[in-house]
Structures are given as C-alpha cells and as structure tokens.
RNA sequence: GAUCCCGUAGCUCAGCCGGUAGAGCAUUUGACUUUUAAUCAAAGGGUCACAGGUUCGAAUCCUGUCGGGAUCACCA
C-alpha cells in the first residue's frame, strides 16, 4: 500500500527501536497462554478467586488508560475482551516499556483474576510480554454501555470499502463480524456432519474443467500451458458428482467453490460456495423431506430457534415447509392459468399483467419473467416451488404424471432462491436430446446454454441409478441465518476492483 | 451497463450560496497507583481521491478519470 507513513506510524517504528534497545524482543517465538478471555469473564467467582490465581492471557491491545503509576489495558483475543491491570510496583522492569506500547500491539499477561472496584472482572498482571509490535495504527473504536445496558459505539470503523479491502482490520475492531464467520463455519460443519451421519461421502471434483456444465452461466476461462488447452473454472460440480453415482457411490456431496463470470451485487459474487448432494435410489419427494429436515435442524442448532428475522420479515423455518406447484402459484398471484400455453399466448398473458418481455423471448424466458415479477416476492415463508416446465431444466427427469413438466423443486425463503433439486434425469436418450436442444440454443446465440458433454452422456449410458440431487447456495443460507442482507458480509474477502495507484 | 449518492487528519465526521482547512477520538509532552468513551493542561498532524477548467482567488462551481455505496438491468 502507501509507502508514505503518517506521524503515528513513524512513532511506532521509533518505539520499536527503543524497545529493542531496551533488550525487548518485539517478535518472540511463543507464549504459553492458559486462558481465553471469555473463560475468565464467565467463570470468575468472587467467593473463589483462587480458581484463577494463576492465568496467562494474550491478545491485542484495544484500549489504554494510563494513570501514572498504574494502567488499565483492554486486550482482545479470539473470544472477547478482557481488562488487565498493571501496577508499577509489581512490574519494575517492564513498567517503563509500557509507554512504548500502543493500541494494536499484541501482548501476553501472566497474573491472577480479580474484580476491580468498579466491578469488572480483570487480570492483575505479574508480568508482561510483548508478543508483536504493530506498525500500523488501527481505527480507534470506543464503546459505552448505557444505563439500559445498550452498547453505544463511538467512531465505528464503518467505511465499507476499507472494511472489505482490509478485512483483518475489520475483524479486529468490529467483533460482531467475527460472530458471522463463526456461524458460517458452524453451518458448514453441521451440514457435513448431517450428511456423514447418513453414510454419504464427501468428495472433491475438478475445479478446472475442460467442458463446463451443470448450470447456465458464463464461465471464467483459463489456459493450461503443458496441454495447451483452454480450461474453465467450474460453474457447478453436478456432472462430476453424477459420474460418481454412476461409479457406484450411493451418496456423494461436495461443498464447492463455483465461479460465474457475471455481474456482482448484493446476492452475487463471482466466486461463491454451493453444496451439492446426490443420493441414489431416491427422488425429489424424498429430497424435499431431507431438505426441510436439514434446514430446520440447522436453524435450530445455529440460532437456538426456528424463527429468523430477515430483511424485516419474521420467518419460521419449522418443518414442514409449504409445497406449491409452479403453475398453481401463477394462478394464485396473477389469476392466469399459464399451463400449456404457447409462446404467443404467454406474451399476451405477460402484457395483460404489465410484465415487460422482449418480443423474441422464449416461452421459458417469459415464464421466468412473470415468476420473477409477480410470484417470487410473495414467497416469504419457506416454500418449495415444484414441477417446473421441462425446457427450463435440461438435467431434470420428466414428471411421472404431468406432460411437459419435470420433477424439480426450488426452495424460496424471503423471496430468494435457496436450493434447487431434481429427480435426476438418468435416461441417456432423453438426456442426449435435451443437451442437443441446448446446443441449438447455444448456436442461436444463447451464451448460457449448456455444452454437450459426450463423456457425461457416456456415463449415463453406462447407467446411473434413479437419483435425487440437491444444490444449496451456502452464502445465501448463511445470510439468512445471520440476518446479513449483503453477500459481502458473509464472505471474508468479497471480490473488489483492485486499487489503482 | 444505466442512474443517483459519496470520497476532507490514523478513525468518525463538520466545513460546500468561492476568500489560505475544523471538532472529537487517536498521537506527542506533563500530572495522576482501581480506571473504563478515564480526567486535566499543552503540542504536533492534511497533495481536501486524481486531472483539467472557470476565477484575482477553488475543499467549495463545471468537466473528465479512479474507487466505493445504493437502486435498476443482467444473472437461476
């Protein structure tokens, strides 16, 4: 970054030199930490202080209050903030060096737990060790607890650009950010455990793919030098996971970073995390039950309740979720029966309810537009939208009872798509035909139509058992369970345009 | 890609009907051995995002560029 240093940074370099001249190693090798801040804060008892007669804590200095011959620092570790009390009499060698410490430095304290006159559980220092001198100044955020117990934050580090570009600083000074990412980690490990408990196998499939597929999206393209071929960063892992079902695994899942070369906004980042799972001998009805069980248990485990407040809505993730056929939803929210209508009729229908569509839009596109404009935002409580038109879903199996439809569901919560699942198409003849249609669309200029993958078709010809597949957008799920409305706030390092000098 | 808003000290922000840059916190010096937005006294700190233009004079007005945010479009 900037090579120009401000007065505070110059001062820190000077302090570092002075410390080293005083014989202090500003970057030592280890510290024997025995307690987390939260452990002392939660368990210290006035009637049994001997339980914390000897503690060693470590963390970053977040505030300093020097009072002449005694000082109070707050240090922050992974679990929270704790106050330490430092007295000149008891730190004869180090007390002078305390002047050379700053907010942002990392220190280790050995001492004992006690409660101050004003009631705060703290650590009384018997020795201090500098563990890392910080050469950059941190934003100074101050907090006050008012009489009602509400936290008031002064001078918050709020600049979104800086928070995303320097997430490490954001994590240091905005502790609630850490909470979001602890939750994210718990959500993923809950899922992993849930699937593994069923005996399903976590797998890894290629990120670099010679033919991309499994979704409709534009890819990132790269190049392999030794083979001298283009490779694509995966937009989905579906076709590889299905190959593994062909290979004889009966349940496989992958938590996968996918990459799509498209716009960025509050719910889209060019790389994002999806979870896809395929289970042999099952259909989409079974998958719906599995999905609602997974999500309602997940919500309860993460938040201790099935209720979630998101974007101003109170949502209950208690199962079972509502199930609604797509064309019934059209009827419900537009009053129109769109089933079996041809393109011309659909254009007229769209016009009649003031949905704008391009003159040359396909039937699918028109249905999609109407769904987006008139239906989606009504789906606040978790809703499985089921039975989609065949043309919208080239990898889904034809509906067992209804012509022109496939066995597919998407789960909507708060008007947003969270999951997508099918009874997977395993008839190789039908699959070939549908991918050939995609190829035609592609030739006609649809950049997002799927590419025909002969090896995938070969695998289906070898034979895939009946299979149910599900994909869940992990970032959106994390957003919902943490109440964040921007995907950037659930990614450590959201994509940003590089800074130019 | 379109539209609107924003960019001033390390952080949060004020100044914007043009007249040489302000506050609080942070930093430095001094006082203070249970403070907690510690307090008290003093001091230092800025290419006002960048580049042009208008003007005697621009942080302020105009144009462009860069970066960010929001909305829309695109995107399952």
């Amino acid at each position: 970054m900037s090579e120009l240093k401000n007065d505070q940074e110059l001062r820190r370099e000077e302090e570092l030199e002075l410390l080293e001249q005083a014989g202090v190693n500003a970057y030592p090798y280890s510290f024997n930490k025995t307690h987390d801040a939260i452990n002392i804060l939660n368990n210290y008892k006035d009637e049994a202080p001997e339980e914390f007669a000897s503690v060693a804590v470590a963390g970053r200095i977040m505030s300093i209050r020097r009072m002449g011959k005694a000082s109070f620092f707050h240090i922050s570790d992974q679990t929270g903030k704790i106050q330490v009390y430092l007295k000149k009499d008891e730190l004869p060698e180090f007390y002078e060096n305390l002047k050379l410490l700053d907010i942002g430095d990392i220190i280790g304290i050995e001492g004992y737990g006690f409660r101050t006159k004003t009631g705060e559980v703290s650590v009384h220092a018997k020795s201090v060790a500098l563990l890392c001198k910080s050469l950059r100044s941190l934003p100074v955020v101050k907090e006050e607890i008012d009489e009602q117990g509400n936290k008031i934050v002064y001078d918050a580090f709020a600049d979104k650009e800086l928070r995303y570009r320097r997430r490490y600083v954001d994590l240091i000074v905005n502790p609630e950010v850490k909470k979001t990412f602890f939750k994210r980690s718990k959500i993923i490990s809950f899922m992993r455990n849930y699937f593994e408990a069923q005996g399903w196998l976590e797998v890894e499939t290629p990120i670099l793919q010679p033919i991309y597929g499994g979704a409709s999206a534009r890819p990132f393209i790269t190049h392999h030098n030794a083979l001298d071929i283009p490779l694509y960063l995966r937009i989905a892992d579906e076709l590889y996971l299905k190959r593994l079902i062909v290979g004889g695994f009966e349940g496989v899942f992958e938590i996968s970073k996918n990459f799509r070369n498209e716009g960025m906004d509050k719910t889209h980042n060019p790389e994002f995390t999806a979870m896809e799972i395929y289970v042999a001998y099952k259909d989409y009805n079974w998958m719906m039950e599995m999905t609602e069980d997974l999500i309602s248990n997940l919500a309860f485990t993460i938040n201790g309740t099935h209720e979630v407040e998101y974007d101003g809505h109170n949502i209950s993730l208690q199962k079972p979720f509502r199930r609604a056929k797509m064309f019934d939803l059209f009827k419900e929210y537009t009053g129109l029966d769109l089933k079996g209508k041809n393109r011309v009729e659909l254009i007229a229908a769209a016009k009649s309810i003031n949905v704008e569509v391009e003159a040359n839009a396909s039937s699918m596109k028109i249905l999609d537009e109407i769904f987006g404009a008139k239906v989606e935002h009504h789906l606040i409580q978790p809703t499985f939208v089921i039975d989609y038109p065949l043309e919208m879903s080239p990898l889904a199996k034809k509906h067992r009872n209804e012509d022109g439809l496939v066995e597919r569901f998407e789960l909507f919560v708060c008007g947003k798509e969270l999951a997508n699942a099918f009874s997977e198409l395993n008839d190789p003849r039908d699959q070939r035909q549908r991918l050939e249609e995609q190829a035609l669309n592609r030739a006609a200029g649809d950049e997002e139509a799927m590419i025909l993958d002969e090896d995938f078709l070969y695998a289906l010809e070898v034979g895939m058992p009946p299979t149910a597949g599900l994909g869940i957008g992990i970032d959106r799920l994390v957003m919902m369970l943490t109440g964040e409305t921007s995907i950037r706030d659930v990614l450590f390092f959201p994509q940003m345009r590089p800074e130019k000098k």
Side-chain angles (χ1 to χ4, degrees):
Chain A
M1 279 274 158
S2 149
E3 297 313 315
L4 295 170
K5 293 185 172 128
N6 62 45
D7 59 330
Q8 301 193 32
E9 289 163 349
L10 292 170
R11 171 63 188 165
R12 280 163 188 257
E13 290 184 358
E14 199 183 311
E15 286 167 342
L16 174 57
E17 263 178 53
L18 291 170
L19 283 162
E20 288 181 333
Q21 280 165 22
V24 174
N25 182 356
Y27 300 99
Y29 294 89
S30 64
F31 179 76
N32 188 15
K33 179 182 165 186
T34 62
H35 287 73
D36 287 330
I38 200 165
N39 179 279
I40 301 172
L41 293 176
N42 287 352
N43 299 314
Y44 179 84
K45 290 187 198 71
D46 293 314
E47 59 276 18
E50 65 280 2
E51 283 178 42
F52 293 96
S54 174
V55 300
V57 293
R60 194 180 293 275
I61 299 173
M62 300 305 289
S63 67
I64 296 179
R65 287 180 297 283
R66 294 193 182 93
M67 313 192 43
K69 299 189 178 64
S71 298
F72 291 89
F73 290 14
H74 268 103
I75 64 170
S76 162
D77 69 17
Q78 184 179 284
T79 66
K81 241 189 244 183
I82 190 163
Q83 181 171 256
V84 298
Y85 175 55
L86 306 125
K87 223 168 150 182
K88 186 172 185 182
D89 304 347
E90 299 173 55
L91 301 163
E93 295 112 61
F94 205 83
Y95 200 80
E96 281 307 302
N97 293 332
L98 289 184
K99 278 195 294 213
L100 303 174
L101 299 187
D102 283 298
I103 289 172
D105 293 348
I106 298 171
I107 58 174
I109 300 285
E110 289 178 308
Y112 56 90
F114 78 115
R115 188 183 294 278
T116 64
K117 222 164 38 179
T118 49
E120 180 165 346
V121 173
S122 306
V123 174
H124 191 129
K126 291 201 281 196
S127 74
V128 184
L130 177 60
L131 302 178
C132 176
K133 181 72 188 161
S134 168
L135 296 178
R136 296 285 191 184
S137 51
L138 289 177
V140 180
V141 180
K142 301 222 169 190
E143 294 167 0
E144 185 186 23
I145 312 286
D146 68 12
E147 292 99 44
Q148 282 80 44
N150 300 314
K151 192 158 92 173
I152 305 167
V153 178
Y154 299 88
D155 296 343
F157 178 55
D159 182 316
K160 288 212 172 189
E161 177 176 2
L162 273 180
R163 287 184 49 211
Y164 297 144
R165 287 194 196 278
R166 298 207 186 119
R167 180 67 92 181
Y168 42 89
V169 173
D170 190 31
L171 287 162
I172 291 167
V173 302
N174 291 328
E176 69 287 351
V177 175
K178 247 190 245 160
K179 279 191 202 148
T180 300
F181 289 98
F182 275 123
K183 264 194 190 176
R184 183 177 175 116
S185 174
K186 272 172 80 180
I187 288 165
I188 290 172
S189 69
F190 178 93
M191 269 195 193
R192 181 174 276 131
N193 293 338
Y194 183 100
F195 296 148
E196 284 181 344
Q198 309 299 314
W200 301 326
L201 190 71
E202 181 168 13
V203 298
E204 294 173 277
T205 66
I207 292 172
L208 292 172
Q209 303 180 346
I211 297 174
Y212 60 95
S216 304
R218 285 187 293 181
F220 286 93
I221 306 171
T222 184
H223 184 262
H224 190 277
N225 289 340
L227 294 177
D228 193 23
I229 53 165
L231 287 173
Y232 303 91
L233 274 65
R234 68 177 164 205
I235 58 173
D237 48 3
E238 172 154 358
L239 303 186
Y240 283 92
L241 293 174
K242 285 179 177 172
R243 283 171 169 97
L244 296 180
I245 298 291
V246 170
F249 294 109
E250 296 185 7
V252 290
F253 71 95
E254 181 169 16
I255 294 161
S256 108
K257 269 280 176 87
N258 294 341
F259 306 85
R260 296 188 184 175
N261 206 339
E262 282 161 3
M264 295 157 57
D265 61 26
K266 276 172 91 165
T267 55
H268 296 82
N269 193 66
E271 63 180 279
F272 64 100
T273 305
M275 190 293 304
E276 287 195 35
I277 181 163
Y278 293 82
V279 181
Y281 310 116
K282 306 294 188 190
D283 65 8
Y284 80 140
N285 291 310
W286 175 89
M287 189 60 94
M288 251 182 279
E289 283 173 29
M290 196 277 272
T291 303
E292 65 192 358
D293 185 67
L294 170 72
I295 290 187
S296 63
N297 278 310
L298 173 65
F300 193 83
T301 304
I302 298 299
N303 289 330
T305 165
H306 291 105
E307 311 307 311
V308 176
E309 198 191 317
Y310 192 77
D311 212 6
H313 297 287
N314 291 311
I315 291 158
S316 169
L317 295 170
Q318 184 81 258
K319 69 174 181 177
F321 300 163
R322 179 187 179 200
R323 287 145 167 79
K325 293 183 178 178
M326 188 181 216
F327 283 98
D328 290 347
L329 288 169
F330 279 128
K331 246 184 264 178
E332 183 176 341
Y333 294 111
T334 69
L336 300 173
D337 185 358
L338 301 178
K339 201 168 166 192
K341 294 280 188 286
N342 66 31
R343 206 181 78 86
V344 176
E345 292 166 322
L346 287 173
I347 288 178
K351 196 169 249 172
S352 76
I353 51 173
N354 297 319
V355 173
E356 281 189 34
V357 290
E358 286 175 33
N360 60 349
S362 66
S363 299
M364 288 315 108
K365 184 77 190 158
I366 300 164
L367 287 172
D368 212 24
E369 289 288 330
I370 298 176
F371 193 81
K374 295 290 171 184
V375 181
E376 238 172 56
H377 64 276
H378 292 291
L379 307 177
I380 300 302
Q381 296 303 321
T383 304
F384 289 118
V385 177
I386 62 178
D387 298 347
Y388 282 64
L390 180 137
E391 296 85 345
M392 278 172 121
S393 321
L395 302 169
K397 201 165 182 167
K398 281 179 181 155
H399 199 282
R400 64 195 76 185
N401 300 320
E402 308 224 34
D403 252 9
L405 300 184
V406 291
E407 297 199 351
R408 172 182 183 183
F409 71 79
E410 289 191 318
L411 173 61
F412 283 85
V413 181
C414 216
K416 302 204 168 61
E417 180 203 339
L418 256 196
N420 181 23
F422 327 133
S423 296
E424 298 295 339
L425 175 51
N426 66 339
D427 179 337
R429 301 161 304 174
D430 189 6
Q431 183 69 84
R432 176 173 293 278
Q433 196 189 330
R434 297 230 227 140
L435 287 178
E436 279 171 355
E437 278 161 21
Q438 288 286 309
L440 289 179
N441 293 344
R442 197 174 180 79
D446 182 354
E447 274 188 85
E448 296 185 344
M450 292 184 192
I451 298 175
L452 196 143
D453 181 339
E454 279 295 345
D455 182 71
F456 171 64
L457 286 169
Y458 190 101
L460 288 192
E461 285 160 9
V462 168
M464 183 173 81
T467 297
L470 164 76
I472 295 180
I474 297 294
D475 308 295
R476 291 183 189 178
L477 180 64
V478 174
M479 286 165 67
M480 204 185 63
L481 292 177
T482 57
E484 296 291 353
T485 54
S486 170
I487 193 170
R488 294 189 180 103
D489 291 318
V490 300
L491 299 172
F492 275 128
F493 303 105
Q495 193 64 50
M496 302 284 278
R497 193 185 293 273
E499 284 179 294
K500 279 190 187 162
K501 289 219 168 151

